[in-house]
Amino acid sequence: MDAPASPMAESLSLDRELYRQLAKGREEAFSALYERYQGPIFRFAWHMSGNSATAEDVTQEVFMLLIRNPKNYDPAKGSLAGYLFGIARNLTRRRLDRSRLDAPLAEDWTDSNENELAGDTDLLGDLTRSELLQCLQKAILGLPEQYREVVVLCDLSEMSYPDAAAVLECPPGTVASRLHRARLMLKARLECQGCVK
Amino acid sequence: MTQPENQLSDAMRRLNAMAPQGASPALGDALKDEFRRHHVHRRRIQAARFSLIAASVAACVVLSVVMLKPHASKTGARHDLPQMPPPSEPVSAGPIEAAVSRSTVAKVRAPHSPRKNPAAEGDRFVALPTFDPAIPIDHLEMVRLDLPGRALQLVGFPVSEEIAERRVLADVLLAQDGTPYALRLVKSSDTKEQWQ
């Protein structure tokens, strides 16, 4: 199935029309929306939790909410994609809180680390092999939640800053600064894990 | 963007490509089934609400007819009281005459003019669930109403689906408080001009 690379960039009008039809009980509209967004939402939850079962549960709950309470979404407040990702984000957070998967950032993280790493040019040269990608995934899962979210939305889901900001309910500038800091943290973690030379 | 940032972005893209691309097909099927079930249930609730509204409208019609009773009595149309049989037995038309004149109520002709109203002669009154034989019947009044067949079902009068979809003329026996006790299907309103 072809999931859109950037669901937020999809036509808002098409989403709204599909949503309008869905609220009327048209199954084709629901199927179309499901095909459009189940992949991105599943991957978001998967990257956030590192767990397929959690990702599947979150995807299910997001669409169950859409089925049972379609009127909860107000088109005047934003895009349908933002609404769905927002639900997925909250559900994933709840599950992570419950399962205590939210590993805290290493306590020794300091600004001096950031400065040192910012100038490192060859740190990620070998991040092409699959085992290194696994290291990267572990490093992402080890990020604090607010940094992990921006990495998953902006780097992995290739969402724009304004779209990510809408999902995260914060200004785009905050997204940018969190993303910068998250990347530095990732580099440090990869280095600590010995995944890169 | 610096080289390490590019490398990191490239690695992120690769990681995303390696990730599962979506939920299992079974989940999609289950959600579509749930969507179908939810909307079938929703439509049933809507139909029930509609029926409730229709019943309320029918009750309002009956009440308004009862409230117009003093006006009707001025026309001098007082009639003999019928004897109500037990609910299980249909009631014959007997000496009942129409008493109400109102725009929503069709012209009523006396049941004892059989040649002008052969259908009415053939039909018999059927006691409704609201009829309680234990309560003394002091005064009954018959009104003829032009109403949707579905409304008959709402007051407990058995009608076929075909009739339920049409408008019909019905004679209703009302107690003094407006409670409908018995009902007789007269004729489809599609052919009511025969009576006028």
PDB file of all heavy atoms in Angstrom, chain A residues 24-25 27 31 34 38-39 43 46-47 56 67-68 120 133 156 158 186, chain B residues 4 12-13 16 18-21 23-24 28 31 34-36 38-39 42:
ATOM      1  N   LYS A  24     -20.998  11.049   7.473  1.00  0.00           N
ATOM      2  CA  LYS A  24     -22.332  10.649   7.011  1.00  0.00           C
ATOM      3  C   LYS A  24     -22.489   9.129   6.992  1.00  0.00           C
ATOM      4  O   LYS A  24     -23.568   8.636   6.699  1.00  0.00           O
ATOM      5  CB  LYS A  24     -22.556  11.170   5.592  1.00  0.00           C
ATOM      6  CG  LYS A  24     -22.830  12.655   5.507  1.00  0.00           C
ATOM      7  CD  LYS A  24     -23.070  13.004   4.055  1.00  0.00           C
ATOM      8  CE  LYS A  24     -23.338  14.472   3.885  1.00  0.00           C
ATOM      9  NZ  LYS A  24     -23.419  14.826   2.450  1.00  0.00           N
ATOM     10  N   GLY A  25     -21.392   8.420   7.203  1.00  0.00           N
ATOM     11  CA  GLY A  25     -21.472   6.963   7.244  1.00  0.00           C
ATOM     12  C   GLY A  25     -21.056   6.285   5.957  1.00  0.00           C
ATOM     13  O   GLY A  25     -21.339   5.111   5.759  1.00  0.00           O
ATOM     14  N   GLU A  27     -18.775   4.279   3.861  1.00  0.00           N
ATOM     15  CA  GLU A  27     -17.657   3.385   4.155  1.00  0.00           C
ATOM     16  C   GLU A  27     -16.463   3.639   3.227  1.00  0.00           C
ATOM     17  O   GLU A  27     -15.309   3.502   3.639  1.00  0.00           O
ATOM     18  CB  GLU A  27     -18.118   1.935   4.023  1.00  0.00           C
ATOM     19  CG  GLU A  27     -17.127   0.965   4.612  1.00  0.00           C
ATOM     20  CD  GLU A  27     -17.571  -0.464   4.519  1.00  0.00           C
ATOM     21  OE1 GLU A  27     -18.789  -0.707   4.394  1.00  0.00           O
ATOM     22  OE2 GLU A  27     -16.714  -1.340   4.557  1.00  0.00           O
ATOM     23  N   SER A  31     -12.583   4.088   4.254  1.00  0.00           N
ATOM     24  CA  SER A  31     -11.509   3.262   3.688  1.00  0.00           C
ATOM     25  C   SER A  31     -10.422   4.146   3.095  1.00  0.00           C
ATOM     26  O   SER A  31      -9.223   3.882   3.285  1.00  0.00           O
ATOM     27  CB  SER A  31     -12.067   2.340   2.597  1.00  0.00           C
ATOM     28  OG  SER A  31     -13.006   1.469   3.151  1.00  0.00           O
ATOM     29  N   TYR A  34      -8.473   5.743   5.864  1.00  0.00           N
ATOM     30  CA  TYR A  34      -7.658   4.724   6.527  1.00  0.00           C
ATOM     31  C   TYR A  34      -6.417   4.425   5.688  1.00  0.00           C
ATOM     32  O   TYR A  34      -5.305   4.362   6.217  1.00  0.00           O
ATOM     33  CB  TYR A  34      -8.491   3.457   6.738  1.00  0.00           C
ATOM     34  CG  TYR A  34      -7.727   2.360   7.434  1.00  0.00           C
ATOM     35  CD1 TYR A  34      -7.497   2.434   8.797  1.00  0.00           C
ATOM     36  CD2 TYR A  34      -7.225   1.272   6.727  1.00  0.00           C
ATOM     37  CE1 TYR A  34      -6.772   1.443   9.447  1.00  0.00           C
ATOM     38  CE2 TYR A  34      -6.510   0.283   7.363  1.00  0.00           C
ATOM     39  CZ  TYR A  34      -6.287   0.363   8.714  1.00  0.00           C
ATOM     40  OH  TYR A  34      -5.561  -0.606   9.351  1.00  0.00           O
ATOM     41  N   GLN A  38      -3.203   5.313   7.841  1.00  0.00           N
ATOM     42  CA  GLN A  38      -2.821   4.241   8.764  1.00  0.00           C
ATOM     43  C   GLN A  38      -1.312   4.010   8.755  1.00  0.00           C
ATOM     44  O   GLN A  38      -0.717   3.786   9.806  1.00  0.00           O
ATOM     45  CB  GLN A  38      -3.607   2.953   8.484  1.00  0.00           C
ATOM     46  CG  GLN A  38      -3.369   2.296   7.138  1.00  0.00           C
ATOM     47  CD  GLN A  38      -2.257   1.270   7.163  1.00  0.00           C
ATOM     48  OE1 GLN A  38      -1.827   0.841   8.228  1.00  0.00           O
ATOM     49  NE2 GLN A  38      -1.765   0.894   5.990  1.00  0.00           N
ATOM     50  N   GLY A  39      -0.695   4.097   7.567  1.00  0.00           N
ATOM     51  CA  GLY A  39       0.754   3.873   7.483  1.00  0.00           C
ATOM     52  C   GLY A  39       1.540   4.911   8.273  1.00  0.00           C
ATOM     53  O   GLY A  39       2.335   4.558   9.165  1.00  0.00           O
ATOM     54  N   ARG A  43       3.616   4.100  11.671  1.00  0.00           N
ATOM     55  CA  ARG A  43       5.073   4.296  11.741  1.00  0.00           C
ATOM     56  C   ARG A  43       5.445   5.292  12.843  1.00  0.00           C
ATOM     57  O   ARG A  43       6.442   5.117  13.532  1.00  0.00           O
ATOM     58  CB  ARG A  43       5.606   4.761  10.384  1.00  0.00           C
ATOM     59  CG  ARG A  43       5.730   3.632   9.378  1.00  0.00           C
ATOM     60  CD  ARG A  43       6.640   4.017   8.220  1.00  0.00           C
ATOM     61  NE  ARG A  43       6.116   5.154   7.500  1.00  0.00           N
ATOM     62  CZ  ARG A  43       5.186   5.092   6.567  1.00  0.00           C
ATOM     63  NH1 ARG A  43       4.655   3.913   6.254  1.00  0.00           N
ATOM     64  NH2 ARG A  43       4.762   6.168   5.936  1.00  0.00           N
ATOM     65  N   TRP A  46       5.224   3.417  15.922  1.00  0.00           N
ATOM     66  CA  TRP A  46       6.283   2.406  15.959  1.00  0.00           C
ATOM     67  C   TRP A  46       7.633   3.037  16.310  1.00  0.00           C
ATOM     68  O   TRP A  46       8.379   2.520  17.132  1.00  0.00           O
ATOM     69  CB  TRP A  46       6.355   1.702  14.600  1.00  0.00           C
ATOM     70  CG  TRP A  46       7.289   0.525  14.578  1.00  0.00           C
ATOM     71  CD1 TRP A  46       7.022  -0.743  14.974  1.00  0.00           C
ATOM     72  CD2 TRP A  46       8.668   0.523  14.141  1.00  0.00           C
ATOM     73  NE1 TRP A  46       8.130  -1.544  14.827  1.00  0.00           N
ATOM     74  CE2 TRP A  46       9.155  -0.787  14.307  1.00  0.00           C
ATOM     75  CE3 TRP A  46       9.515   1.500  13.636  1.00  0.00           C
ATOM     76  CZ2 TRP A  46      10.444  -1.146  13.980  1.00  0.00           C
ATOM     77  CZ3 TRP A  46      10.823   1.137  13.303  1.00  0.00           C
ATOM     78  CH2 TRP A  46      11.278  -0.182  13.476  1.00  0.00           C
ATOM     79  N   HIS A  47       7.916   4.159  15.688  1.00  0.00           N
ATOM     80  CA  HIS A  47       9.188   4.823  15.983  1.00  0.00           C
ATOM     81  C   HIS A  47       9.205   5.358  17.410  1.00  0.00           C
ATOM     82  O   HIS A  47      10.255   5.406  18.049  1.00  0.00           O
ATOM     83  CB  HIS A  47       9.420   5.984  15.017  1.00  0.00           C
ATOM     84  CG  HIS A  47       9.837   5.534  13.650  1.00  0.00           C
ATOM     85  ND1 HIS A  47      10.917   4.722  13.420  1.00  0.00           N
ATOM     86  CD2 HIS A  47       9.313   5.787  12.422  1.00  0.00           C
ATOM     87  CE1 HIS A  47      11.050   4.496  12.124  1.00  0.00           C
ATOM     88  NE2 HIS A  47      10.085   5.123  11.493  1.00  0.00           N
ATOM     89  N   GLU A  56       0.288  -0.936  16.538  1.00  0.00           N
ATOM     90  CA  GLU A  56      -0.980  -1.438  15.995  1.00  0.00           C
ATOM     91  C   GLU A  56      -2.149  -1.015  16.903  1.00  0.00           C
ATOM     92  O   GLU A  56      -3.196  -0.600  16.418  1.00  0.00           O
ATOM     93  CB  GLU A  56      -0.923  -2.966  15.877  1.00  0.00           C
ATOM     94  CG  GLU A  56      -2.128  -3.553  15.181  1.00  0.00           C
ATOM     95  CD  GLU A  56      -1.739  -4.459  14.019  1.00  0.00           C
ATOM     96  OE1 GLU A  56      -0.639  -4.310  13.474  1.00  0.00           O
ATOM     97  OE2 GLU A  56      -2.574  -5.300  13.657  1.00  0.00           O
ATOM     98  N   ILE A  67     -14.159   6.744  14.142  1.00  0.00           N
ATOM     99  CA  ILE A  67     -15.439   6.093  13.827  1.00  0.00           C
ATOM    100  C   ILE A  67     -16.511   6.523  14.828  1.00  0.00           C
ATOM    101  O   ILE A  67     -17.619   6.905  14.447  1.00  0.00           O
ATOM    102  CB  ILE A  67     -15.277   4.551  13.865  1.00  0.00           C
ATOM    103  CG1 ILE A  67     -14.410   4.071  12.705  1.00  0.00           C
ATOM    104  CG2 ILE A  67     -16.638   3.863  13.843  1.00  0.00           C
ATOM    105  CD1 ILE A  67     -14.007   2.609  12.805  1.00  0.00           C
ATOM    106  N   ARG A  68     -16.155   6.478  16.099  1.00  0.00           N
ATOM    107  CA  ARG A  68     -17.181   6.685  17.134  1.00  0.00           C
ATOM    108  C   ARG A  68     -17.482   8.155  17.407  1.00  0.00           C
ATOM    109  O   ARG A  68     -18.609   8.490  17.759  1.00  0.00           O
ATOM    110  CB  ARG A  68     -16.748   6.004  18.435  1.00  0.00           C
ATOM    111  CG  ARG A  68     -16.755   4.498  18.267  1.00  0.00           C
ATOM    112  CD  ARG A  68     -16.403   3.780  19.538  1.00  0.00           C
ATOM    113  NE  ARG A  68     -16.486   2.331  19.312  1.00  0.00           N
ATOM    114  CZ  ARG A  68     -15.911   1.444  20.080  1.00  0.00           C
ATOM    115  NH1 ARG A  68     -15.225   1.826  21.121  1.00  0.00           N
ATOM    116  NH2 ARG A  68     -16.028   0.169  19.814  1.00  0.00           N
ATOM    117  N   ASP A 120      31.856  17.779  15.038  1.00  0.00           N
ATOM    118  CA  ASP A 120      32.301  16.460  14.602  1.00  0.00           C
ATOM    119  C   ASP A 120      31.778  16.175  13.188  1.00  0.00           C
ATOM    120  O   ASP A 120      30.586  16.050  12.968  1.00  0.00           O
ATOM    121  CB  ASP A 120      31.754  15.415  15.591  1.00  0.00           C
ATOM    122  CG  ASP A 120      32.390  14.073  15.355  1.00  0.00           C
ATOM    123  OD1 ASP A 120      33.032  13.900  14.305  1.00  0.00           O
ATOM    124  OD2 ASP A 120      32.245  13.211  16.223  1.00  0.00           O
ATOM    125  N   LEU A 133      21.827   1.043  11.684  1.00  0.00           N
ATOM    126  CA  LEU A 133      20.473   1.610  11.703  1.00  0.00           C
ATOM    127  C   LEU A 133      19.731   1.156  12.960  1.00  0.00           C
ATOM    128  O   LEU A 133      18.941   1.893  13.528  1.00  0.00           O
ATOM    129  CB  LEU A 133      19.692   1.211  10.444  1.00  0.00           C
ATOM    130  CG  LEU A 133      20.229   1.813   9.139  1.00  0.00           C
ATOM    131  CD1 LEU A 133      19.385   1.357   7.958  1.00  0.00           C
ATOM    132  CD2 LEU A 133      20.230   3.331   9.201  1.00  0.00           C
ATOM    133  N   LEU A 156      11.966  11.448  10.491  1.00  0.00           N
ATOM    134  CA  LEU A 156      11.522  10.149   9.982  1.00  0.00           C
ATOM    135  C   LEU A 156      10.259  10.283   9.125  1.00  0.00           C
ATOM    136  O   LEU A 156      10.164   9.679   8.074  1.00  0.00           O
ATOM    137  CB  LEU A 156      11.276   9.185  11.146  1.00  0.00           C
ATOM    138  CG  LEU A 156      12.531   8.791  11.924  1.00  0.00           C
ATOM    139  CD1 LEU A 156      12.180   7.990  13.159  1.00  0.00           C
ATOM    140  CD2 LEU A 156      13.473   7.986  11.037  1.00  0.00           C
ATOM    141  N   GLU A 158       9.260  13.109   7.832  1.00  0.00           N
ATOM    142  CA  GLU A 158       9.526  14.212   6.903  1.00  0.00           C
ATOM    143  C   GLU A 158       8.407  15.262   6.900  1.00  0.00           C
ATOM    144  O   GLU A 158       7.959  15.730   5.871  1.00  0.00           O
ATOM    145  CB  GLU A 158       9.772  13.673   5.490  1.00  0.00           C
ATOM    146  CG  GLU A 158      11.005  12.780   5.450  1.00  0.00           C
ATOM    147  CD  GLU A 158      11.288  12.225   4.071  1.00  0.00           C
ATOM    148  OE1 GLU A 158      10.390  12.273   3.225  1.00  0.00           O
ATOM    149  OE2 GLU A 158      12.408  11.750   3.857  1.00  0.00           O
ATOM    150  N   LEU A 186      21.450  12.561  19.593  1.00  0.00           N
ATOM    151  CA  LEU A 186      21.566  11.302  18.846  1.00  0.00           C
ATOM    152  C   LEU A 186      23.024  11.004  18.519  1.00  0.00           C
ATOM    153  O   LEU A 186      23.485   9.869  18.693  1.00  0.00           O
ATOM    154  CB  LEU A 186      20.756  11.394  17.540  1.00  0.00           C
ATOM    155  CG  LEU A 186      19.286  11.060  17.610  1.00  0.00           C
ATOM    156  CD1 LEU A 186      18.656  11.212  16.238  1.00  0.00           C
ATOM    157  CD2 LEU A 186      19.071   9.645  18.129  1.00  0.00           C
TER     158      LEU A 186
ATOM    159  N   PRO B   4      27.608  15.921   8.324  1.00  0.00           N
ATOM    160  CA  PRO B   4      27.056  14.946   9.279  1.00  0.00           C
ATOM    161  C   PRO B   4      25.545  15.025   9.409  1.00  0.00           C
ATOM    162  O   PRO B   4      24.884  13.998   9.593  1.00  0.00           O
ATOM    163  CB  PRO B   4      27.743  15.318  10.604  1.00  0.00           C
ATOM    164  CG  PRO B   4      28.407  16.608  10.401  1.00  0.00           C
ATOM    165  CD  PRO B   4      28.611  16.808   8.954  1.00  0.00           C
ATOM    166  N   MET B  12      18.296   8.413   8.755  1.00  0.00           N
ATOM    167  CA  MET B  12      16.891   8.457   9.215  1.00  0.00           C
ATOM    168  C   MET B  12      15.959   7.936   8.121  1.00  0.00           C
ATOM    169  O   MET B  12      15.030   7.185   8.388  1.00  0.00           O
ATOM    170  CB  MET B  12      16.504   9.904   9.540  1.00  0.00           C
ATOM    171  CG  MET B  12      17.281  10.485  10.689  1.00  0.00           C
ATOM    172  SD  MET B  12      16.570  10.050  12.253  1.00  0.00           S
ATOM    173  CE  MET B  12      17.363  11.243  13.293  1.00  0.00           C
ATOM    174  N   ARG B  13      16.223   8.375   6.903  1.00  0.00           N
ATOM    175  CA  ARG B  13      15.366   7.913   5.797  1.00  0.00           C
ATOM    176  C   ARG B  13      15.473   6.400   5.636  1.00  0.00           C
ATOM    177  O   ARG B  13      14.482   5.716   5.416  1.00  0.00           O
ATOM    178  CB  ARG B  13      15.764   8.626   4.507  1.00  0.00           C
ATOM    179  CG  ARG B  13      15.023   9.945   4.311  1.00  0.00           C
ATOM    180  CD  ARG B  13      15.191  10.463   2.884  1.00  0.00           C
ATOM    181  NE  ARG B  13      16.551  10.930   2.637  1.00  0.00           N
ATOM    182  CZ  ARG B  13      17.004  12.149   2.961  1.00  0.00           C
ATOM    183  NH1 ARG B  13      16.179  13.017   3.495  1.00  0.00           N
ATOM    184  NH2 ARG B  13      18.243  12.506   2.699  1.00  0.00           N
ATOM    185  N   ASN B  16      13.558   4.771   8.359  1.00  0.00           N
ATOM    186  CA  ASN B  16      12.115   4.841   8.103  1.00  0.00           C
ATOM    187  C   ASN B  16      11.704   3.818   7.055  1.00  0.00           C
ATOM    188  O   ASN B  16      10.639   3.204   7.144  1.00  0.00           O
ATOM    189  CB  ASN B  16      11.730   6.256   7.640  1.00  0.00           C
ATOM    190  CG  ASN B  16      10.255   6.508   7.801  1.00  0.00           C
ATOM    191  OD1 ASN B  16       9.642   5.991   8.733  1.00  0.00           O
ATOM    192  ND2 ASN B  16       9.672   7.267   6.896  1.00  0.00           N
ATOM    193  N   MET B  18      13.116   1.002   6.588  1.00  0.00           N
ATOM    194  CA  MET B  18      13.194  -0.340   7.182  1.00  0.00           C
ATOM    195  C   MET B  18      12.018  -0.635   8.114  1.00  0.00           C
ATOM    196  O   MET B  18      11.721  -1.798   8.394  1.00  0.00           O
ATOM    197  CB  MET B  18      14.478  -0.462   8.018  1.00  0.00           C
ATOM    198  CG  MET B  18      15.721  -0.741   7.192  1.00  0.00           C
ATOM    199  SD  MET B  18      17.155  -0.766   8.285  1.00  0.00           S
ATOM    200  CE  MET B  18      16.710  -2.028   9.455  1.00  0.00           C
ATOM    201  N   ALA B  19      11.386   0.425   8.581  1.00  0.00           N
ATOM    202  CA  ALA B  19      10.296   0.239   9.558  1.00  0.00           C
ATOM    203  C   ALA B  19       9.094  -0.424   8.885  1.00  0.00           C
ATOM    204  O   ALA B  19       8.926  -0.318   7.669  1.00  0.00           O
ATOM    205  CB  ALA B  19       9.886   1.598  10.117  1.00  0.00           C
ATOM    206  N   PRO B  20       8.256  -1.114   9.676  1.00  0.00           N
ATOM    207  CA  PRO B  20       7.019  -1.668   9.102  1.00  0.00           C
ATOM    208  C   PRO B  20       6.226  -0.535   8.458  1.00  0.00           C
ATOM    209  O   PRO B  20       6.139   0.562   9.012  1.00  0.00           O
ATOM    210  CB  PRO B  20       6.283  -2.238  10.316  1.00  0.00           C
ATOM    211  CG  PRO B  20       7.298  -2.366  11.380  1.00  0.00           C
ATOM    212  CD  PRO B  20       8.351  -1.359  11.115  1.00  0.00           C
ATOM    213  N   GLN B  21       5.649  -0.810   7.317  1.00  0.00           N
ATOM    214  CA  GLN B  21       5.010   0.269   6.552  1.00  0.00           C
ATOM    215  C   GLN B  21       3.553   0.519   6.943  1.00  0.00           C
ATOM    216  O   GLN B  21       2.944   1.464   6.467  1.00  0.00           O
ATOM    217  CB  GLN B  21       5.100  -0.021   5.057  1.00  0.00           C
ATOM    218  CG  GLN B  21       6.522   0.072   4.539  1.00  0.00           C
ATOM    219  CD  GLN B  21       7.166   1.438   4.809  1.00  0.00           C
ATOM    220  OE1 GLN B  21       6.696   2.463   4.339  1.00  0.00           O
ATOM    221  NE2 GLN B  21       8.240   1.452   5.600  1.00  0.00           N
ATOM    222  N   ALA B  23      -0.103  -0.991   9.505  1.00  0.00           N
ATOM    223  CA  ALA B  23      -0.744  -1.982  10.372  1.00  0.00           C
ATOM    224  C   ALA B  23      -1.127  -3.207   9.539  1.00  0.00           C
ATOM    225  O   ALA B  23      -1.127  -3.158   8.306  1.00  0.00           O
ATOM    226  CB  ALA B  23      -1.973  -1.372  11.023  1.00  0.00           C
ATOM    227  N   SER B  24      -1.448  -4.283  10.222  1.00  0.00           N
ATOM    228  CA  SER B  24      -1.790  -5.520   9.524  1.00  0.00           C
ATOM    229  C   SER B  24      -3.108  -5.349   8.768  1.00  0.00           C
ATOM    230  O   SER B  24      -3.979  -4.580   9.185  1.00  0.00           O
ATOM    231  CB  SER B  24      -1.910  -6.660  10.534  1.00  0.00           C
ATOM    232  OG  SER B  24      -3.016  -6.404  11.375  1.00  0.00           O
ATOM    233  N   GLY B  28      -7.236  -3.425   9.403  1.00  0.00           N
ATOM    234  CA  GLY B  28      -8.052  -2.638   8.468  1.00  0.00           C
ATOM    235  C   GLY B  28      -9.430  -3.248   8.292  1.00  0.00           C
ATOM    236  O   GLY B  28     -10.445  -2.538   8.331  1.00  0.00           O
ATOM    237  N   LEU B  31     -11.511  -2.735  11.430  1.00  0.00           N
ATOM    238  CA  LEU B  31     -11.982  -1.350  11.573  1.00  0.00           C
ATOM    239  C   LEU B  31     -13.117  -1.047  10.603  1.00  0.00           C
ATOM    240  O   LEU B  31     -14.069  -0.338  10.941  1.00  0.00           O
ATOM    241  CB  LEU B  31     -10.824  -0.378  11.361  1.00  0.00           C
ATOM    242  CG  LEU B  31      -9.849  -0.273  12.532  1.00  0.00           C
ATOM    243  CD1 LEU B  31      -8.585   0.464  12.127  1.00  0.00           C
ATOM    244  CD2 LEU B  31     -10.497   0.424  13.717  1.00  0.00           C
ATOM    245  N   GLU B  34     -16.161  -2.517  12.031  1.00  0.00           N
ATOM    246  CA  GLU B  34     -16.618  -1.694  13.148  1.00  0.00           C
ATOM    247  C   GLU B  34     -17.330  -0.440  12.640  1.00  0.00           C
ATOM    248  O   GLU B  34     -18.352  -0.029  13.193  1.00  0.00           O
ATOM    249  CB  GLU B  34     -15.420  -1.312  14.023  1.00  0.00           C
ATOM    250  CG  GLU B  34     -15.750  -0.383  15.185  1.00  0.00           C
ATOM    251  CD  GLU B  34     -16.735  -0.989  16.169  1.00  0.00           C
ATOM    252  OE1 GLU B  34     -16.789  -2.226  16.268  1.00  0.00           O
ATOM    253  OE2 GLU B  34     -17.464  -0.215  16.826  1.00  0.00           O
ATOM    254  N   PHE B  35     -16.774   0.128  11.588  1.00  0.00           N
ATOM    255  CA  PHE B  35     -17.400   1.322  10.992  1.00  0.00           C
ATOM    256  C   PHE B  35     -18.817   0.984  10.521  1.00  0.00           C
ATOM    257  O   PHE B  35     -19.761   1.732  10.781  1.00  0.00           O
ATOM    258  CB  PHE B  35     -16.545   1.791   9.816  1.00  0.00           C
ATOM    259  CG  PHE B  35     -17.078   3.023   9.137  1.00  0.00           C
ATOM    260  CD1 PHE B  35     -16.771   4.274   9.631  1.00  0.00           C
ATOM    261  CD2 PHE B  35     -17.886   2.943   8.016  1.00  0.00           C
ATOM    262  CE1 PHE B  35     -17.255   5.422   9.022  1.00  0.00           C
ATOM    263  CE2 PHE B  35     -18.378   4.079   7.400  1.00  0.00           C
ATOM    264  CZ  PHE B  35     -18.062   5.316   7.911  1.00  0.00           C
ATOM    265  N   ARG B  36     -18.944  -0.165   9.847  1.00  0.00           N
ATOM    266  CA  ARG B  36     -20.259  -0.600   9.342  1.00  0.00           C
ATOM    267  C   ARG B  36     -21.227  -0.798  10.504  1.00  0.00           C
ATOM    268  O   ARG B  36     -22.339  -0.304  10.487  1.00  0.00           O
ATOM    269  CB  ARG B  36     -20.084  -1.928   8.592  1.00  0.00           C
ATOM    270  CG  ARG B  36     -20.726  -1.931   7.205  1.00  0.00           C
ATOM    271  CD  ARG B  36     -20.311  -3.159   6.448  1.00  0.00           C
ATOM    272  NE  ARG B  36     -18.986  -3.027   5.883  1.00  0.00           N
ATOM    273  CZ  ARG B  36     -18.029  -3.959   5.930  1.00  0.00           C
ATOM    274  NH1 ARG B  36     -18.255  -5.120   6.514  1.00  0.00           N
ATOM    275  NH2 ARG B  36     -16.851  -3.749   5.406  1.00  0.00           N
ATOM    276  N   HIS B  38     -21.113   0.380  13.526  1.00  0.00           N
ATOM    277  CA  HIS B  38     -21.405   1.644  14.215  1.00  0.00           C
ATOM    278  C   HIS B  38     -22.490   2.421  13.480  1.00  0.00           C
ATOM    279  O   HIS B  38     -23.420   2.954  14.098  1.00  0.00           O
ATOM    280  CB  HIS B  38     -20.134   2.477  14.310  1.00  0.00           C
ATOM    281  CG  HIS B  38     -20.339   3.849  14.877  1.00  0.00           C
ATOM    282  ND1 HIS B  38     -20.497   4.072  16.218  1.00  0.00           N
ATOM    283  CD2 HIS B  38     -20.450   5.062  14.278  1.00  0.00           C
ATOM    284  CE1 HIS B  38     -20.678   5.356  16.430  1.00  0.00           C
ATOM    285  NE2 HIS B  38     -20.659   5.987  15.267  1.00  0.00           N
ATOM    286  N   HIS B  39     -22.396   2.475  12.177  1.00  0.00           N
ATOM    287  CA  HIS B  39     -23.353   3.293  11.436  1.00  0.00           C
ATOM    288  C   HIS B  39     -24.712   2.603  11.287  1.00  0.00           C
ATOM    289  O   HIS B  39     -25.732   3.277  11.200  1.00  0.00           O
ATOM    290  CB  HIS B  39     -22.764   3.723  10.099  1.00  0.00           C
ATOM    291  CG  HIS B  39     -21.790   4.846  10.272  1.00  0.00           C
ATOM    292  ND1 HIS B  39     -22.189   6.149  10.435  1.00  0.00           N
ATOM    293  CD2 HIS B  39     -20.442   4.856  10.397  1.00  0.00           C
ATOM    294  CE1 HIS B  39     -21.132   6.912  10.616  1.00  0.00           C
ATOM    295  NE2 HIS B  39     -20.060   6.152  10.604  1.00  0.00           N
ATOM    296  N   ARG B  42     -26.223   3.508  14.508  1.00  0.00           N
ATOM    297  CA  ARG B  42     -26.575   4.937  14.511  1.00  0.00           C
ATOM    298  C   ARG B  42     -27.863   5.165  13.729  1.00  0.00           C
ATOM    299  O   ARG B  42     -28.744   5.917  14.154  1.00  0.00           O
ATOM    300  CB  ARG B  42     -25.430   5.727  13.879  1.00  0.00           C
ATOM    301  CG  ARG B  42     -25.565   7.229  13.939  1.00  0.00           C
ATOM    302  CD  ARG B  42     -24.370   7.904  13.278  1.00  0.00           C
ATOM    303  NE  ARG B  42     -24.272   7.596  11.870  1.00  0.00           N
ATOM    304  CZ  ARG B  42     -24.849   8.309  10.900  1.00  0.00           C
ATOM    305  NH1 ARG B  42     -25.545   9.369  11.204  1.00  0.00           N
ATOM    306  NH2 ARG B  42     -24.728   7.967   9.637  1.00  0.00           N
TER     307      ARG B  42
END
